[in-house]
Amino acid sequence: MATNPHQGGHDDFTVTLAASARVNLQDHLTGETSPHIIHAVSVTQPVQSWTVLRDHIDFLAMDSTLASAIPGLPTCATPSVATTAASSSSSSPSEGGGGVTPGSQQEVDLIVQARNIAQEWLSSVLTVPAVRESPVMRQFLCYGANVVPPQFEGLAWVDFTASAGGGGAVMNPEMSAAGVGGVAGGGGGGGG
C-alpha cells in the first residue's frame, strides 16, 4: 500500500466539527437572504481547547487557498445543500428559506451531509504537515475563538459530539451557540 508523502505525525492538536446549523444570512451588498450551513469547529490541544464558528463557504475558500499553495490536496466538495437550498424558495426568510422546513428531517439530512463533507476534507488535509503548519490554516482554526456572532445566537444546532448518543446527529433546538463545544466559555484562548 502506498504511503502519503505529505503525511506526518499530528498529535499537537485535533479538530472535530462538533455541531452544525443552518441559518439565513443577508448579503450586505444585494440585500438578498440565502441559507448557509455554519459549523462549530472544536480544536483540542493537550492543554487547551476552543471552538470557532465557520460558514461552509469558508471551507471552500480555504480549500482554494491551500490548493494554490500545496499541490495534490483533496478537494472540499460543495454539498447539495447549497444547490438544493439556493434553487428552492420559501415564502419568507423567517420560515427557513431555501424551501426546507426548519427542524425537518430534510433539513437535518442536508446539515449532516454538509458537516460530513467538511469534516472529511478537514481531517484529510490536516494529515499534511505543510497544511497543519500553515499560517492560513492556523488562522482558520483560531481566529474568533469562543466568540459567537449575534446572527448565530439561538440556532438549532445538529450536535455531533459523543454526548449526542454515540456520536450521531441529534437536533438540539434548545442548544444556543454558547452550548456548542464550549463556544462561549470553554477551554483556552485559541492558541496556535
Side-chain angles (χ1 to χ4, degrees):
M1 182 168 159
T3 60
N4 182 345
H6 298 295
Q7 198 163 4
H10 52 275
D11 294 334
D12 53 337
F13 65 91
T14 59
V15 179
T16 304
L17 274 63
S20 299
R22 185 165 170 262
V23 62
N24 289 316
L25 298 175
Q26 187 173 25
D27 184 298
H28 68 279
L29 296 175
T30 66
E32 293 181 15
T33 301
S34 62
H36 291 254
I37 300 295
I38 306 302
H39 303 290
V41 182
S42 295
V43 182
T44 304
Q45 292 184 316
V47 295
Q48 64 183 354
S49 62
W50 62 92
T51 301
V52 293
L53 299 178
R54 297 290 179 255
D55 192 318
H56 195 86
I57 291 169
D58 297 332
F59 283 82
L60 300 175
M62 177 61 66
D63 176 37
S64 177
T65 299
L66 290 171
S68 68
I70 305 169
L73 293 177
T75 302
C76 185
T78 302
S80 65
V81 66
T83 54
T84 301
S87 64
S88 302
S89 63
S90 178
S91 57
S92 76
S94 64
E95 293 177 11
V100 177
T101 305
S104 70
Q105 187 59 49
Q106 181 185 13
E107 180 185 53
V108 172
D109 291 346
L110 293 172
I111 292 169
V112 168
Q113 177 197 27
R115 181 269 183 188
N116 290 343
I117 286 169
Q119 179 69 64
E120 183 177 317
W121 174 79
L122 191 57
S123 295
S124 181
V125 299
L126 286 174
T127 64
V128 180
V131 171
R132 290 179 74 79
E133 297 163 6
S134 73
V136 69
M137 180 56 80
R138 292 287 177 158
Q139 181 173 0
F140 180 79
L141 295 176
C142 297
Y143 181 76
N146 300 333
V147 174
V148 182
Q151 67 270 27
F152 299 150
E153 291 179 1
L155 295 180
W157 293 90
V158 178
D159 186 0
F160 297 97
T161 62
S163 63
V170 174
M171 188 70 157
N172 192 348
E174 304 302 316
M175 181 183 278
S176 69
V180 177
V183 171

